[in-house]
């Protein structure tokens, strides 16, 4: 699949549910309205959609959400998608999770063919963790991370850099992650969906974080890539990898290789734009995939050049109205 700007689309991210057992302040309002249950695709339909993308050239699939592991019977989807790994059609099947259910599912994920997971964790302080996630318990997440590593999964920690919240803990988080042999990636907050907090207050540019880290650590340039937007450095003192995802301070759209599917079968060709294609209709119209394949081609032909994320005090509305949990972060 080639888009109008010559970018090859090989990566599909799937939000299998927009629901979550946490309510992170930068991601969701406390009182969220979720997509109506009646609009959800079944796990079998999601499997068929993902498989159509694999047939069209997708090599990497990431299941995300909301919290992917709170969707009932989720392992049946992971298990059936695992067949594409065994056939060689897919290079990687992976997940982004808040870690709350990993103790339960780590072994099953590994058995299905998953080799790496990203776990989102913004602080190691239990009280701060409770403040950020509103509903989460840090012990469960830490146990989940240990269970994942014990099951043989490679874990990467992702933290959203939040001004005045975890700003003073970034070094601690990095040293902790690297000490456990995990890569560590920082993310800038993106203006998606209304949340209760003020994003201009939360936004911490990673250019600043990087300058500060460079005062205490040797950050060596690295051309390591995982097929995502993160740019990595090697930290000489810890021997670990540190990634930066900087949609605001450094735009990476020119190398974008991905599209995003929601749990209702809507395809977003860009995280930061509203244009979308309905794939549920062609999926349900016919048991044969021909209609679906042409709807996918038509959608890819509309992939925009890039996003319009800006966070500043003059612009109060988010760049896109939907929350990250709908399109999947
Ligand atoms: N629940 C899972 C989790 O937390 O990892 C998967 C979905 S979550 C939406 C995926 C990632 O998006 C998380 O790392 C989260 O911190 C990040 N995220 C959520 N809202 C964001 C926002 N407005 N800006 C930047 N990152 C955001
Ligand atoms: Fe849930 Fe992940 Fe959003 Fe936090 S960031 S509310 S864990 S979907």
């Amino acid at each position: 699949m080639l888009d109008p700007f010559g970018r090859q689309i090989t990566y599909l991210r799937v939000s299998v549910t927009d629901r979550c057992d946490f309510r992170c302040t930068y991601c969701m309002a406390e009182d969220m309205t979720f997509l109506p249950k009646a609009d959800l695709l079944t796990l079998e339909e999601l499997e068929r959609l993902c498989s159509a993308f694999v047939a069209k050239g997708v090599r990497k699939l990431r299941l995300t959400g909301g919290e992917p592991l709170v969707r009932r019977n989720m392992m049946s989807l992971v298990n059936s998608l695992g067949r594409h790994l065994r056939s060689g059609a897919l290079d990687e099947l992976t997940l982004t999770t808040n870690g709350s259910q990993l103790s339960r599912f780590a072994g099953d994920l590994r058995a299905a063919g998953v080799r790496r997971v990203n776990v989102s964790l913004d602080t190691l302080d239990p009280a701060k963790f409770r403040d950020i996630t509103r509903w989460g318990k840090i012990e469960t997440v830490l146990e989940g991370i240990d269970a994942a590593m014990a099951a043989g999964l490679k874990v990467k920690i992702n933290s959203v850099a939040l001004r005045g919240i975890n700003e003073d803990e970034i070094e601690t988080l990095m040293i902790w992650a690297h000490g456990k042999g995990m890569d560590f990636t920082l993310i800038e907050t993106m203006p998606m969906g209304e949340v209760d907090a003020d994003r201009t207050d939360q936004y911490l540019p990673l250019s600043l974080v990087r300058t500060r880290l460079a005062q205490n650590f040797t950050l060596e340039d690295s051309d390591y890539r995982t097929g995502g937007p993160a740019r990595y450095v090697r930290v000489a003192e810890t021997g670990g990898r540190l990634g930066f995802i900087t949609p605001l301070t450094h735009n990476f759209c020119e190398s974008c290789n991905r599209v995003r599917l929601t749990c209702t079968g809507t395809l977003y060709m860009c995280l930061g734009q509203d244009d979308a294609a309905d794939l549920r209709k062609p999926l349900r119209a016919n048991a044969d995939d021909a209609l679906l394949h042409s709807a996918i081609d038509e959608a890819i032909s509309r992939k925009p050049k890039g996003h319009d994320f800006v966070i500043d005090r003059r612009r109060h509305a988010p760049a896109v109205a939907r929350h990250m949990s709908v399109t999947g972060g």
Side-chain angles (χ1 to χ4, degrees):
M1 289 182 285
L2 214 56
D3 83 355
F5 302 94
R7 297 169 297 191
Q8 197 157 21
I9 309 305
T10 53
Y11 182 9
L12 177 69
R13 299 174 67 106
V14 187
S15 174
V16 298
T17 173
D18 63 331
R19 287 160 202 259
C20 187
D21 52 344
F22 291 2
R23 287 288 180 279
C24 302
T25 52
Y26 51 80
C27 178
M28 292 193 184
E30 186 154 23
D31 180 18
M32 285 285 286
T33 308
F34 292 107
L35 295 165
K37 277 214 166 119
D39 290 353
L40 288 195
L41 297 182
T42 64
L43 290 176
E44 292 73 22
E45 286 174 321
L46 272 174
E47 205 271 341
R48 201 180 131 204
L49 257 179
C50 291
S51 298
F53 276 94
V54 172
K56 291 198 70 64
V58 158
R59 304 289 313 175
K60 174 169 171 176
L61 258 177
R62 179 177 297 276
L63 306 175
T64 175
E67 174 46 41
L69 294 175
V70 302
R71 175 132 187 198
R72 191 158 355 129
N73 228 348
M74 180 56 196
M75 278 314 302
S76 68
L77 175 64
V78 182
N79 283 325
S80 52
L81 290 173
R83 76 190 153 88
H84 297 303
L85 293 168
R86 293 186 291 279
S87 76
L90 198 62
D91 296 328
E92 185 169 32
L93 173 60
T94 183
L95 253 92
T96 298
T97 170
N98 65 22
S100 69
Q101 314 294 315
L102 269 181
S103 298
R104 243 172 94 200
F105 292 115
D108 294 344
L109 290 170
R110 166 85 202 181
V114 174
R115 293 293 173 263
R116 301 192 300 159
V117 290
N118 288 355
V119 178
S120 306
L121 179 65
D122 305 319
T123 177
L124 289 168
D125 176 321
K128 226 185 252 185
F129 185 84
R130 165 68 56 152
D131 287 347
I132 296 174
T133 63
R134 293 190 182 109
W135 294 2
K137 272 212 201 94
I138 194 162
E139 306 82 63
T140 333
V141 173
L142 296 177
E143 281 163 24
I145 291 171
D146 287 340
M149 291 201 293
L153 296 173
K154 214 167 161 7
V155 178
K156 176 160 84 80
I157 300 295
N158 285 343
S159 296
V160 176
L162 298 162
R163 188 151 67 122
I165 300 175
N166 64 1
E167 186 171 359
D168 56 347
E169 228 195 307
I170 288 176
E171 279 191 16
T172 314
L173 274 162
M174 179 184 81
I175 292 169
W176 168 80
H178 288 175
K180 286 171 88 72
M182 306 184 290
D183 289 352
F184 178 62
T185 293
L186 289 161
I187 309 173
E188 282 174 340
T189 45
M190 295 170 231
M192 301 190 62
E194 292 287 355
V195 290
D196 305 317
D198 180 346
R199 284 193 208 282
T200 30
D201 288 345
Q202 293 179 334
Y203 174 57
L204 176 64
L206 289 184
S207 45
L208 178 64
V209 175
R210 187 177 173 144
T211 308
R212 285 184 190 157
L213 282 171
Q215 288 164 3
N216 294 330
F217 296 91
T218 318
L219 309 182
E220 299 167 346
D221 282 335
S222 152
D223 49 19
Y224 176 76
R225 293 275 189 282
T226 58
R231 293 295 168 260
Y232 287 91
V233 294
R234 187 179 167 277
V235 182
E237 289 76 4
T238 61
R241 256 191 305 254
L242 168 66
F244 297 93
I245 300 184
T246 55
L248 290 116
T249 53
H250 172 256
N251 189 311
F252 39 65
C253 303
E254 70 278 4
S255 58
C256 185
N257 59 353
R258 71 209 42 211
V259 287
R260 296 159 194 267
L261 186 66
T262 74
C263 54
T264 55
T266 302
L267 188 75
Y268 285 95
M269 285 71 83
C270 174
L271 182 64
Q273 300 283 354
D274 286 323
D275 186 32
D278 173 24
L279 298 182
R280 188 174 50 176
K281 216 167 170 189
L283 176 83
R284 289 188 173 165
N286 209 322
D288 156 314
D289 282 348
L291 260 183
L292 185 57
H293 281 223
S294 47
I296 293 173
D297 288 339
E298 197 278 326
I300 301 294
S301 78
R302 297 204 322 255
K303 187 169 160 67
K305 194 162 181 213
H307 66 68
D308 299 318
F309 287 147
V310 190
I311 293 187
D312 73 23
R313 298 217 170 264
R314 283 157 300 170
R315 180 155 151 178
H316 289 294
V320 292
R322 65 185 188 279
H323 290 86
M324 183 73 105
S325 44
V326 172
T327 351

